[in-house]
Amino acid sequence: MAAGDSRSLDLPVVDLASPDLGATVESVRKACVDSGFFYVVSHGIEDGLLEKLFAESRKLFELPLEEKMALRRNSYHRGYTPPYAEKLDFSSKFEGDLKESFYVGPIGGDGSQNDANQWPSEEHFPCWKETIKLYHATALSIGKRILSLIALSLNLDAELFENIGAFSCPSAFLRLLHYPGAVNESDDGNYGASAHSDYGMITILATDGTPGLQICREKDRHPRHWEDVHHIDGALIVNIGDLLERWTNCIFRSTLHRVVAVGKERYSVAFFLDPNPNLVVQCLESCCSDACPPRFPPIKSGDYLKERLSVTYK
């Protein structure tokens, strides 16, 4: 299905600098209940940093395949993933999705958490590591602010996720993504990223403005109805993931989304903010009752994410 076969939708725009906290919290709650997607503005990321980030991303993906494969994703999910290596929708008849990507995991200020990350040559990419580190740190800060608003929207303390240890060595991954323009005839009907919901807490997405992202707000509906998520200059796109759905007992629903091929190259950068791997995810107190008991058993965040990733890259 081409992007033009669906209709565009209006998602809430959340101003992180708004003085009206109550209205902001209500807007976040409505978005998490209705669609699981929203925009954020006044987020504090300068245009110059995003321009550098996309420039470094393009430079990496323009390398010959053999050079990128020298940095192939390791067992810690850090590094390069080639096209067709990931299949997000197992009902797809294709070998795998069209996109290629590069993962960067948690970055410790003292270097203690850097061992598993893979970095391109500083000789050929002198600004790459510093640009990635700066964006990673900035996105992490934004993610914590958004989760504070989400906690308030559930009638819980703003520091809930901080207090329960979610941000103690969080599993925060940056993923550079490149979707091809022209595709082979054999890939007609294939997707840049096939239908899926994200696995963790929240995802913060920056795009280059090229269309292709679609969401399906009713994931149990058949046939599925897909809607285009349009680009807003200066805004980031936020969506909630499956772990947050478990935490909220399905009050907030993670949303199916995909990226369709539009005949033009597309670059995006996804920041996945997930909790400390040892944190046990279980229904939050404001999200269950005797009449509405927890739907999911408690599970360690790391165990849940590891299981989902192992299936994706099977």
Side-chain angles (χ1 to χ4, degrees):
M1 178 186 290
D5 292 332
S6 71
R7 64 183 180 86
S8 185
L9 75 163
D10 293 321
L11 297 173
V13 178
V14 176
D15 185 346
L16 295 183
S18 171
D20 190 343
L21 179 60
T24 300
V25 168
E26 181 56 34
S27 182
V28 167
R29 181 179 177 86
K30 187 176 188 303
C32 291
V33 169
D34 290 350
S35 65
F37 271 74
F38 56 95
Y39 302 98
V40 293
V41 295
S42 303
H43 41 67
I45 298 179
E46 297 180 357
D47 291 342
L49 176 56
L50 284 172
E51 290 171 4
K52 289 179 182 178
L53 182 67
F54 279 106
E56 295 297 330
S57 177
R58 290 188 185 92
K59 186 176 178 182
L60 176 79
F61 288 123
E62 286 171 355
L63 289 173
L65 180 60
E66 59 270 20
E67 293 186 37
K68 291 182 286 191
M69 291 297 284
L71 296 168
R72 187 164 189 173
R73 179 179 53 86
N74 57 29
S75 60
Y76 297 96
H77 293 283
R78 322 288 176 91
Y80 175 71
T81 302
Y84 309 110
E86 181 182 85
K87 187 171 183 176
L88 294 168
D89 181 358
F90 290 97
S91 68
S92 170
K93 66 180 181 180
F94 296 95
E95 173 189 356
D97 297 342
L98 297 171
K99 67 182 177 301
E100 57 180 340
S101 67
F102 194 95
Y103 279 109
V104 177
I107 301 172
D110 59 359
S112 60
Q113 298 185 59
N114 285 345
D115 293 347
N117 282 319
Q118 302 191 71
W119 305 101
S121 161
E122 288 192 20
E123 179 182 357
H124 297 105
F125 291 82
C127 301
W128 206 89
K129 186 174 182 179
E130 200 56 41
T131 300
I132 294 295
K133 288 175 65 177
L134 178 56
Y135 185 81
H136 189 286
T138 307
L140 177 58
S141 177
I142 294 168
K144 290 179 179 179
R145 289 165 62 194
I146 292 169
L147 283 166
S148 176
L149 294 172
I150 286 175
L152 288 171
S153 77
L154 293 166
N155 298 315
L156 297 168
D157 188 88
E159 304 304 317
L160 166 76
F161 293 108
E162 182 79 54
N163 293 338
I164 64 176
F167 302 147
S168 174
C169 299
S171 182
F173 275 78
L174 189 67
R175 191 179 194 191
L176 308 177
L177 291 149
H178 172 233
Y179 301 88
V183 297
N184 298 325
E185 186 176 338
S186 60
D187 275 316
D188 184 35
N190 198 1
Y191 294 94
S194 53
H196 67 286
S197 57
D198 289 347
Y199 305 154
M201 294 176 76
I202 61 169
T203 303
I204 301 171
L205 183 71
T207 77
D208 67 352
T210 304
L213 177 62
Q214 298 179 335
I215 70 172
C216 175
R217 287 186 283 177
E218 298 179 54
K219 54 188 174 185
D220 298 325
R221 173 182 172 180
H222 296 282
R224 289 172 176 164
H225 176 64
W226 293 94
E227 298 171 284
D228 293 320
V229 178
H230 62 273
H231 176 77
I232 296 179
D233 288 341
L236 300 171
I237 301 168
V238 177
N239 67 277
I240 63 174
D242 297 336
L243 276 183
L244 197 60
E245 178 177 277
R246 294 175 73 97
W247 247 321
T248 64
N249 212 24
C250 294
I251 291 175
F252 293 169
R253 300 292 300 272
S254 61
T255 304
L256 281 179
H257 52 285
R258 67 185 185 184
V259 176
V260 298
V262 294
K264 181 181 178 182
E265 280 189 299
R266 181 179 189 271
Y267 291 87
S268 64
V269 180
F271 182 79
F272 303 100
L273 178 51
D274 302 328
N276 182 299
N278 291 317
L279 183 67
V280 175
V281 175
Q282 55 191 337
C283 185
L284 296 169
E285 60 180 323
S286 67
C287 300
C288 58
S289 64
D290 291 340
C292 185
R295 300 187 184 192
F296 306 101
I299 189 171
K300 281 187 177 181
S301 168
D303 292 343
Y304 179 80
L305 294 173
K306 187 181 298 184
E307 178 183 341
R308 295 291 301 274
L309 287 167
S310 67
V311 174
T312 300
Y313 293 103
K314 188 174 181 180

